Amino acid sequence: MSCTDKELEIHKRHQEICDDIHAMYLQKNAAYGDSFHQLYADLGIISAVTQITHKYNRLKTLAKDKNQDIATNDESITDTLLDLANYCIMTAMEIERENNKK
């Protein structure tokens, strides 16, 4: 199955975004240590759901008022989406870690 140039371009962009998410993960892990894992180890999946919910609520707020992120000079909708993706990936990793212990 061959891909068109447009499909290859889309696939390449997806990989770039995944690479950006990984870079963000490394940067934040260096800044905050392994705090996500530690909190998950202490409180379980509810800690991850809480953090994901906070990001989701931030996303909803930004989506309702697109000028808010400009006014607050805070993270953009895209930043929030990428951060949310990282939280979901880290949660999947924690679940995997739990399952491997069993």
Side-chain angles (χ1 to χ4, degrees):
M1 178 176 183
S2 64
C3 295
T4 66
D5 288 344
K6 181 76 171 167
E7 289 171 326
L8 288 174
E9 184 179 317
I10 292 168
H11 295 172
K12 181 181 177 196
R13 183 62 189 132
H14 183 276
Q15 183 62 58
E16 290 169 352
I17 291 171
C18 289
D19 292 345
D20 290 346
I21 290 170
H22 182 67
M24 182 193 323
Y25 166 78
L26 295 175
Q27 179 185 19
K28 288 193 176 192
N29 222 37
Y32 301 116
D34 202 14
S35 61
F36 184 88
H37 167 69
Q38 293 303 319
L39 190 58
Y40 191 98
D42 290 344
L43 301 176
I45 195 164
I46 195 65
S47 65
V49 171
T50 300
Q51 290 179 307
I52 290 168
T53 301
H54 285 199
K55 280 294 168 184
Y56 170 75
N57 288 336
R58 172 79 174 138
L59 178 61
K60 278 194 333 187
T61 299
L62 290 172
K64 288 179 182 177
D65 184 2
K66 292 181 183 178
N67 293 324
Q68 182 173 344
D69 62 321
I70 296 168
T72 61
N73 199 20
D74 205 354
E75 69 184 55
S76 68
I77 290 175
T78 301
D79 293 336
T80 302
L81 286 167
L82 297 178
D83 214 13
L84 186 55
N86 248 335
Y87 278 121
C88 292
I89 292 167
M90 290 187 299
T91 303
M93 290 168 56
E94 292 298 332
I95 292 168
E96 183 178 86
R97 188 183 303 198
E98 283 179 335
N99 289 339
N100 287 338
K101 286 182 182 178
K102 294 177 183 175

